[in-house]
Structures are given as structure tokens and as C-alpha cells.
Amino acid sequence: MTDAPETAAPDLTNRRPLKTRGAAWAGRLAAAIAGKGVSADVISGLGLAFAVLGGALLAASGGVEDGWRSLCLVLGATCVQLRLACNLLDGMVAVEHGRASPYGPIWNELPDRIADVLFLAGAGYGAMSAGFSGGPALGWICAALAMLTAYVRELGRGLGFAADFSGPMAKPHRMAALTATCAIAAFEPLWRGRGEVLAAGLAVIAVGTLVTVVRRTRTLAERLADRR
């Protein structure tokens, strides 16, 4: 009979600082979930499912008309927020309630990167199917830059520095911007818009994320110089 794998202690040095973590509703909900015996990994998996659904809704939004298009965008934005809620709660269940697993570091990082691609590229394809031909390019640029922000952060951690979660377009900021973009785009049928709102929102996210990559890279370079 083999022993069960030991549960590693969560790495708190790589925990994103979030004000919502201290909210009463979050604490109560995390406690209720942990009380039901739900593991943090299951919550992370549910969050990934919301990312798949949300990305599909955003991609499909431009291919339908009027109220159906608005509904896809609103539901897509809702999936973005539900994904963020799962991302918050899985960490709280793992750390505050001791429900971490040996595979927690994988579930903590990999679904975030997949979600970035699904939501941002999905929004790009939604803009294209609505009529803005450059939508996919914008979406994939945003997705690639989002990957780079995480890469630079993890590169710094690999070199022994604290995780750099600085913005202006860190993950929570990107998702907030995308949610707002979808909410505004839901009204596009009123003026016969053809994906311009999604395209504009993705352009803002791309520029802000590029600034974030440059800022984190500069910070890492300064830290290396100081160490030397």
C-alpha cells in the first residue's frame, strides 16, 4: 500500500494581494465551501470551465444579432467575473482553510494563462464576426502580452525576487477592463455597431499590458543591478 502524497504548504510569496480577500462575503463563502469538503483544485477547475464558456460566448457574440448578441456579451462578462471569483476562492480555501493539494501550484498558474487566451482571443473573434476584421489580431496580441506579464513575474521569482504583481494591466485590471468593454458592447445593437467597442477595449488592454511588461522588466533589471 503506497502512502498518499503529502500536501505541500501553499507558497504565500506568490499570492496576489487582493482587497476582496478581506471582504466579509468572501470569507463566509470560502468557509461554507471548505465546510462542504470541496478542494481548492475543484474550484480552480470550475473557474476554468467558466473561462471556456465565457470565451465561447464572446467569440460567438458577433455572429448573432440584436438581443442575442447583447445576451452573449453579458453572459461572457459574467463568466469573466465568475472565473475571478473562483480564482479568489480557491486560494482562500487552500490557505485559510487548509484544503491545498500537492498540485496546487499547477492549478494556481496554468488555468490563469488558459483563461487569458480564451477570454481575450474570444473577444477578438467576437469583434471580427461582428464586422471588425482586425479583431483576432488584437485578441491574440492581448493574449501574448498577458502571457508575457506572467512570464516576467515568474522569471523574477526564479531569480529569487518577490513576485511583481504591478500594473497598470495586471490580471485583475485586464479582466475588469474586459468586463467593462463587454458591458458597453452589449449596447452596440442600439446604434448598429459592428465590433468597434470590443476592438477599442482590446486596444486599451493591449497598450496597458505592454506598459505592464515593460514596467515589470525594468523593475527586474533594477533588482538585478542592486543585487550585483
Side-chain angles (χ1 to χ4, degrees), residues 3-180:
D3 294 331
E6 293 183 3
T7 300
D11 182 6
L12 299 183
T13 64
N14 194 32
R15 199 180 193 197
R16 188 183 302 273
L18 295 172
K19 292 182 179 179
T20 48
R21 193 176 289 125
W25 68 265
R28 288 194 296 268
L29 186 53
I33 293 171
K36 296 292 184 181
V38 179
S39 72
D41 292 353
V42 170
I43 303 170
S44 299
L46 179 61
L48 186 56
F50 282 128
V52 172
L53 176 60
L57 285 166
L58 295 181
S61 65
V64 292
E65 295 295 333
D66 301 329
W68 289 108
R69 181 177 170 196
S70 298
L71 181 62
C72 284
L73 290 166
V74 170
L75 290 177
T78 302
C79 286
V80 172
Q81 291 304 306
L82 289 172
R83 156 70 191 153
L84 289 177
C86 289
N87 200 219
L88 168 70
L89 292 169
D90 63 1
M92 295 181 69
V93 168
V95 176
E96 279 85 349
H97 299 280
R99 300 286 300 172
S101 83
Y103 317 108
I106 297 175
W107 283 106
N108 186 52
E109 282 295 324
L110 190 57
D112 282 358
R113 310 289 74 81
I114 297 172
D116 273 332
V117 172
L118 290 173
F119 284 133
L120 296 169
Y125 283 105
M128 179 191 70
S129 55
F132 189 87
S133 60
L138 274 174
W140 282 107
I141 288 170
C142 288
L145 289 171
M147 293 284 189
L148 274 176
T149 63
Y151 175 79
V152 175
R153 185 192 74 224
E154 291 304 303
L155 176 61
R157 290 187 69 239
L159 292 170
F161 300 109
D164 183 359
F165 292 109
S166 61
M169 275 290 172
K171 183 187 69 179
H173 310 139
R174 288 193 301 272
M175 294 299 103
L178 182 59
T179 300

Side-chain angles (χ1 to χ4, degrees), residues 13 152-166 215-228:
T13 64
V152 175
R153 185 192 74 224
E154 291 304 303
L155 176 61
R157 290 187 69 239
L159 292 170
F161 300 109
D164 183 359
F165 292 109
S166 61
R215 183 183 180 190
R216 291 186 182 183
T217 303
R218 184 176 61 191
T219 298
L220 178 56
E222 290 171 351
R223 287 173 171 178
L224 288 168
D226 290 342
R227 172 189 283 176
R228 182 169 183 178

